[in-house]
Amino acid sequence: MRVLGIETSCDDTSCSVYDTDQGIRSVVLSSQEVFHQKYGGIVPEIASRKHLEVLPWVAEHALLEAQTQWDELDLIAVTHGPGLVGSLLVGVDYAKTLSMGLGRPIVAVNHLEGHLLSPMMDHSDIAFPFLGIIVSGGHTEYILVKAIGRYEKVAETVDDACGEALDKFGKLLGIPYPAGPLIEKKAQEGSKNAYAFPLPKVKKSTFALSFSGLKTSAMLLLKSLGSDQTSLEVAHLCASYQHALFHQLLVVAKRVLHQYPVKAVTLSGGVAANQTLRDLFQSSLPVPCFFPGRKWCTDNAGMIAFTGYHQYRLRGADTLTFPVVSRLSISSIHNSKNSEVGI
Ligand code: KG4
Ligand code: ZN
């Protein structure tokens, strides 16, 4: 079966052709980073307009690279939430038009499930149940994956997402959006012990995370240090701040593992591209840790095609009336029929 995946939930326009026998045959991504950089974050109106401009070209290119004709596609999979409404609408309308025009089934994909299953694209042997941790620019969620399609959210942030905390810190230091990769690079020259950031305590639950207090601590620290830090000081700041975020991710992971006996842990989403985070998890947890290949960490249509295929297998096609849902939870996915324990 050949699946066309379409992803436009935020600021990346991406299409991918996934063949269920051969794996991913192509993934094409058009980034809008340069258009948003000067605003220090994503401007929704610009995002949807850019998707509209490039999506047909991105799709054509994905088919070309996959050496696939339109009529060789068997399924259209598209992200329908969560994300920016205008951006989602561009992808979903395009996908519905293709589905109608080609006479092929369509399946609506939850972007978070795409991130959650992305480690399986390269590791088909991850044992269930596992703890899937999504750390991206919009989400920080800990999800028990009992099988594909059977999920239970067990922990999440009460305020900012981990990637958002990195991007906001980057803004304070004048590092362009998205700041995560540059903070990672800078941190390699500094010491994680140079500055002490507190481990946030969330009263509501020992499983809850919080990042906004760390951002405020960083802001106060920067104020006290003055405006002209040396390159080494910036490196120390990046290393210490990044470590404070990752340490919190690890502390909560250990708490969850203490309560839920899982066989493995996965990290996915943009922040999971970070090697320091990968090393920390790999060296500190009692169960095997898996990560997606780096190109599957940040938003991409490969994970949407892959997830779309599995959802289609479990629940069949969707009708053309499905909506875009800007605030869509992973808990909205219920595949009660599913009793599998592996792919
Ligand atoms: O998954 P993603 O592309 O978009 C969302 O669905 O949010 O994640 C983007 C986030 C940004 O906050 C970016 O700063 C962060 O992932 N990120 C990283 C790295 N690469 C991207 N954070 C830390 N280290 C990285 N190497
Ligand atoms: Zn994402």
Side-chain angles (χ1 to χ4, degrees), residues 35-284:
F35 302 107
H36 300 283
Q37 236 155 27
K38 67 175 168 191
Y39 303 101
I42 294 154
V43 183
E45 286 77 11
I46 295 178
S48 42
R49 229 179 304 135
K50 291 292 165 197
H51 285 309
L52 204 56
E53 278 171 26
V54 302
L55 181 54
W57 303 106
V58 172
E60 293 259 5
H61 209 82
L63 263 78
L64 204 70
E65 244 182 49
Q67 295 178 331
T68 300
Q69 305 296 322
W70 288 105
D71 62 3
E72 289 177 292
L73 292 173
D74 300 298
L75 176 69
I76 312 292
V78 62
T79 302
H80 81 125
L84 302 168
V85 172
S87 292
L88 290 165
L89 272 172
V90 176
V92 166
D93 281 354
Y94 183 72
K96 286 180 177 176
T97 309
L98 282 181
S99 165
M100 238 185 312
L102 298 170
R104 296 292 190 273
I106 189 167
V107 66
V109 177
N110 182 318
H111 179 84
L112 293 175
E113 190 184 18
H115 278 306
L116 193 60
L117 300 189
S118 62
M120 291 181 164
M121 294 166 72
D122 295 322
H123 308 279
S124 54
D125 53 343
I126 305 175
F128 296 99
F130 66 82
L131 172 66
I133 306 175
I134 302 173
V135 267
S136 70
H139 299 270
T140 303
E141 303 192 0
Y142 290 56
I143 296 149
L144 283 183
V145 181
K146 298 165 191 172
I148 293 181
R150 286 181 49 213
Y151 311 122
E152 182 187 339
K153 185 158 69 184
V154 289
E156 67 182 325
T157 177
V158 293
D159 41 56
D160 293 347
C162 185
E164 189 181 357
L166 283 168
D167 295 334
K168 286 180 174 171
F169 176 70
K171 206 170 174 180
L172 293 173
L173 287 176
I175 296 173
Y177 173 88
L182 286 169
I183 292 174
E184 174 178 20
K185 206 162 164 225
K186 202 74 204 146
Q188 282 158 7
E189 299 153 25
S191 160
K192 66 179 175 21
N193 301 318
Y195 297 101
F197 288 97
L199 177 69
K201 277 200 193 82
V202 185
K203 279 201 193 117
K204 206 173 86 180
S205 151
T206 52
F207 283 180
L209 298 100
S210 167
F211 293 105
S212 67
L214 287 169
K215 180 198 62 198
T216 311
S217 298
M219 203 164 67
L220 296 173
L221 175 63
L222 282 172
K223 244 188 206 160
S224 73
L225 292 175
S227 56
D228 43 351
Q229 283 104 35
T230 62
S231 172
L232 183 63
E233 272 165 349
V234 172
H236 284 330
L237 283 164
C238 287
S240 304
Y241 183 77
Q242 183 182 260
H243 178 72
L245 302 186
F246 296 170
H247 177 62
Q248 187 183 178
L249 290 175
L250 182 67
V251 166
V252 175
K254 283 182 174 172
R255 285 180 192 153
V256 173
L257 255 58
H258 196 68
Q259 180 143 336
Y260 299 93
V262 296
K263 296 193 176 128
V265 170
T266 65
L267 278 176
S268 56
V271 183
N274 189 294
Q275 190 59 43
T276 311
L277 176 63
R278 290 176 178 223
D279 292 344
L280 179 69
F281 267 65
Q282 218 144 29
S283 63
S284 316

